Amino acid sequence: MSKPLTPFKLSAQTAAMMMAFTLVFTALMAGTYQATRTTIAESAEAEKLILINQVLPPASYDNKLLQDTYKLGATPELGLDEGGFVYRARKDGKPVAVVMEAVAPDGYSGKIRLVIAVKTDGTVSGVRVTEHRETPGLGDYIDPKKDKNKQHPWIAQFEGKSLSVLPFERWKVNKDGGDFVYMSGATISPSAVIKAVAHAVKFAADNQAKLFE
């Protein structure tokens, strides 16, 4: 008959089993991560390109845009406290546009994150809201997915605008003396987006040489 395990030996055996389980589990997780990280990265890139192609027609550039980037440090002009990326679009080696991340800090319910494409002539190609917490049914029309007007969504007003045809001081909603329409009773959210886009357009114009070096 085998001798019963002492409390010390029992604890040691349990610890050894737990250690073995931990090592096996860790190895399995590491293996799963290694096997899937390429797929995850490719999926993330595909999602990012889908968004970019909503603000910049894919036929307008032929470079690997996600690999042609400019890293920004903290950039208050774009509302980027922790920096961000500028993606550079080129056609036959020549610059055609930049796609920028930006943040409107003064939305009705907090920050509104944006992606903005600006052509080299300073014209806005497109704008999309990527994240917001605006009140459903009111300020959320800044997001074309939630805008009930699918034919002419509010966000499309920016397309074709530039500081050369629309002075900086007129980038406001109509009631404040600007050139952008809005929905009655919901002006804070669109005003925040308009201001953020105007600053982004100005930033692109002021830093064009640096962005395309």
Side-chain angles (χ1 to χ4, degrees):
M1 181 180 296
S2 59
K3 294 181 180 180
L5 294 174
T6 65
F8 175 77
K9 288 184 177 181
L10 183 60
S11 297
Q13 189 180 69
T14 302
M17 292 176 61
M18 291 298 295
M19 178 64 73
F21 174 80
T22 301
L23 289 173
V24 170
F25 181 75
T26 301
L28 286 172
M29 290 297 293
T32 301
Y33 171 73
Q34 291 295 333
T36 60
R37 67 173 180 174
T38 299
T39 302
I40 292 171
E42 289 175 350
S43 178
E45 285 198 354
E47 289 295 323
K48 190 172 291 185
L49 264 180
I50 289 173
L51 179 61
I52 288 174
N53 289 338
Q54 290 179 24
V55 298
L56 185 66
S60 65
Y61 64 93
D62 58 12
N63 65 317
K64 293 184 178 179
L65 185 145
L66 293 181
Q67 298 176 21
D68 193 344
T69 62
Y70 184 88
K71 181 70 170 68
L72 296 172
T75 310
E77 301 97 315
L78 298 176
L80 301 176
D81 298 333
E82 298 179 358
F85 286 94
V86 173
Y87 301 94
R88 300 179 287 199
R90 306 178 193 274
K91 184 84 167 180
D92 298 326
K94 298 179 180 179
V96 294
V98 290
V99 180
M100 300 177 288
E101 301 168 335
V103 175
D106 47 358
Y108 183 79
S109 300
K111 293 181 178 180
I112 301 172
R113 297 187 179 278
L114 308 161
V115 168
I116 304 159
V118 183
K119 299 178 183 178
T120 50
D121 64 0
T123 302
V124 177
S125 172
V127 179
R128 285 294 182 276
V129 171
T130 61
E131 182 182 332
H132 73 90
R133 297 191 182 96
E134 304 310 283
T135 305
L138 291 175
D140 64 351
Y141 67 88
I142 59 176
D143 183 347
K145 295 190 296 294
K146 299 179 179 180
D147 194 332
K148 295 179 181 179
N149 189 343
K150 300 302 181 184
Q151 294 297 317
H152 302 285
W154 180 86
I155 203 78
Q157 291 182 85
F158 294 103
E159 297 171 13
K161 297 286 196 307
S162 70
L163 294 177
S164 62
V165 298
L166 186 63
F168 187 83
E169 60 271 14
R170 293 194 62 80
W171 289 65
K172 304 174 184 176
V173 294
N174 296 148
K175 81 178 188 68
D176 293 332
D179 280 40
F180 291 85
V181 300
Y182 64 97
M183 289 182 63
S184 179
T187 61
I188 295 177
S189 304
S191 293
V193 171
I194 293 166
K195 184 166 68 172
V197 175
H199 281 286
V201 173
K202 187 175 186 304
F203 177 82
D206 292 344
N207 297 275
Q208 188 182 68
K210 179 172 67 175
L211 297 179
F212 280 109
E213 280 181 354

